[in-house]
Amino acid sequence: MRFSGIVVSMIVCCLFGLAPFSGLPNAYSQENRIENEFKLSVPKGEEEAVWVFLQEALSGSSLLAFDSAFTSSFAREEFHDVYFDNGEGRVASFQAGVRLRERYIADTLSKRLLQLKLPTDDSSGVARQEIKFNPYTKFKTSDRKATHPFWRFVKPGDRDEVSLYLGSLQVSGDDLEPELKLKQDRRRAYVSQFGTPFLTATLDHVSYFYFPYSSFTELELELNEILYTEADFDQRAAMEAINRDIRDKLFQKFPGLKQDQTPKYNKMRALIKGNKIVWLGNNLMYIILGGLVLTAIVLFLRNR
């Protein structure tokens, strides 16, 4: 059966106290890959200087100093990410991510993906699993789950697989609902080796989608997921060495950069937690409605 190997692995992990993530083999999903990236927090006021440096370091002779087979290109995109969680913040507690991503190029929607970001046994947080699914779009009237705030984005044929991955986070898809929405202004350098994608350097300005638009900026140095996942031990080590070299050059140029592997979802949750303005913005409709009801009651009593 399709899921028997996964189920057995998860049972063994539970019996012997092993990390459940190691029981989810990379080959299980066609889109299940290992991402390896450094996440660097960028101080306010240094964003433009960092981007200029990246363009210089990852092009021309500077780029060839890393590898003579490297070429590069640059692009700008926008992402809208809706993150799902349960009422207890279970997904956040694992520093994982369950999100619906929309990618825009020049204000035009180019792609939508449902993505699961899961921890691995890498305690540094540099390596994580990323599993991608095409969202559910053509709903059937007989599909009751299509009315659920999370399952409505998951195709019926993918739901069992998604449930197994969510189980590793000790959460059920039935309990998930939209927790927060982020907007990312993304500037990215694409580096290829012999024409094959090798790594990306991404400068992300991340903001809360709604008022008061709380924000932060981070730089991600990410090895290509497909190439890295399929590489052997020595090949991965060589790729990681190049990524470290780029990171170290950035540290030398910008001492204010700090490596912080905290996922964007967790960073934004911490940023808006307890923010009264955020609470006001999220509940403004209910406050106005309550005011209108209260006004109507007062007017009614006066007229009596």
Side-chain angles (χ1 to χ4, degrees):
M1 294 179 64
R2 186 184 181 195
F3 302 113
S4 59
I6 293 292
V7 173
V8 171
S9 296
M10 292 183 70
I11 292 174
V12 171
C13 288
C14 292
L15 289 175
F16 292 97
L18 300 177
F21 307 105
S22 60
L24 297 174
N26 295 336
Y28 178 56
S29 169
Q30 292 182 352
E31 295 296 329
N32 186 347
R33 301 165 184 164
I34 301 296
E35 66 172 23
N36 185 289
E37 66 179 3
F38 295 123
K39 295 164 67 71
L40 311 179
S41 294
V42 181
K44 287 186 178 180
E46 293 192 8
E47 299 91 343
E48 295 305 318
V50 168
W51 179 241
V52 169
F53 177 80
L54 279 175
Q55 293 178 89
E56 295 173 349
L58 299 180
S59 63
S61 58
S62 297
L63 176 64
L64 298 179
F66 292 107
D67 190 304
S68 60
F70 278 168
T71 58
S72 63
S73 61
F74 301 86
R76 191 163 192 163
E77 305 162 317
E78 184 175 301
F79 290 86
H80 296 175
D81 293 329
V82 177
Y83 284 86
F84 296 86
D85 211 332
N86 69 350
E88 301 174 355
R90 174 67 67 180
V91 178
S93 70
F94 280 91
Q95 295 216 345
V98 180
R99 73 186 179 202
L100 177 71
R101 163 160 287 184
E102 295 181 335
R103 178 187 182 190
Y104 292 84
I105 299 177
D107 297 326
T108 300
L109 178 63
S110 65
K111 194 170 187 178
R112 299 175 86 221
L113 280 175
L114 182 69
Q115 298 172 308
L116 307 181
K117 295 286 190 98
L118 305 179
T120 65
D121 54 6
D122 176 15
S123 60
S124 71
V126 172
R128 295 205 298 168
Q129 284 193 82
E130 180 177 22
I131 306 97
K132 302 177 182 179
F133 298 90
N134 290 319
Y136 192 21
T137 54
K138 298 181 180 179
F139 308 116
K140 295 181 179 178
T141 55
S142 60
D143 184 6
R144 295 184 179 179
K145 286 208 173 205
T147 62
H148 188 274
F150 171 70
W151 288 123
R152 66 184 296 266
F153 297 109
V154 185
K155 294 179 179 179
D158 293 331
R159 287 174 184 161
D160 286 343
E161 184 176 353
V162 170
S163 291
L164 285 172
Y165 284 118
L166 294 177
S168 70
L169 302 175
Q170 303 173 19
V171 69
S172 167
D174 294 338
D175 300 327
L176 296 182
E177 57 185 30
E179 177 67 18
L180 58 81
K181 186 173 183 179
L182 303 182
K183 176 181 177 182
Q184 294 186 66
D185 178 14
R186 167 166 290 184
R187 288 178 282 185
R188 171 174 276 183
Y190 295 88
V191 176
S192 298
Q193 184 183 53
F194 298 111
T196 299
F198 186 90
L199 65 81
T200 55
T202 304
L203 187 66
D204 281 333
H205 179 72
V206 185
S207 58
Y208 187 56
F209 199 83
Y210 305 105
F211 184 80
Y213 313 112
S214 305
S215 65
F216 59 85
T217 300
E218 70 174 31
L219 173 62
E220 295 180 350
L221 303 174
E222 182 178 1
L223 297 170
N224 180 263
E225 299 163 3
I226 299 175
L227 192 63
Y228 186 80
T229 301
E230 296 178 350
D232 60 28
F233 179 83
D234 291 336
Q235 291 170 330
R236 286 189 180 186
M239 294 176 71
E240 292 167 1
I242 291 175
N243 214 25
R244 280 196 303 271
D245 195 4
I246 296 173
R247 180 200 62 181
D248 293 345
K249 283 181 168 54
L250 281 159
F251 281 156
Q252 292 172 11
K253 180 69 175 180
F254 302 98
L257 292 177
K258 302 294 182 184
Q259 184 169 336
D260 182 357
Q261 297 299 133
T262 306
K264 291 184 176 73
Y265 172 48
N266 292 70
K267 284 183 181 179
M268 187 57 71
R269 274 176 59 94
L271 194 59
I272 66 176
K273 184 179 180 180
N275 189 316
K276 295 180 180 179
I277 298 179
V278 172
W279 181 90
L280 181 64
N282 289 340
N283 295 277
L284 185 58
M285 181 184 301
Y286 302 106
I287 294 172
I288 293 174
L289 181 60
L292 292 173
V293 171
L294 181 61
T295 301
I297 293 173
V298 171
L299 292 175
F300 174 75
L301 293 176
R302 283 183 177 179
N303 290 335
R304 291 187 63 186

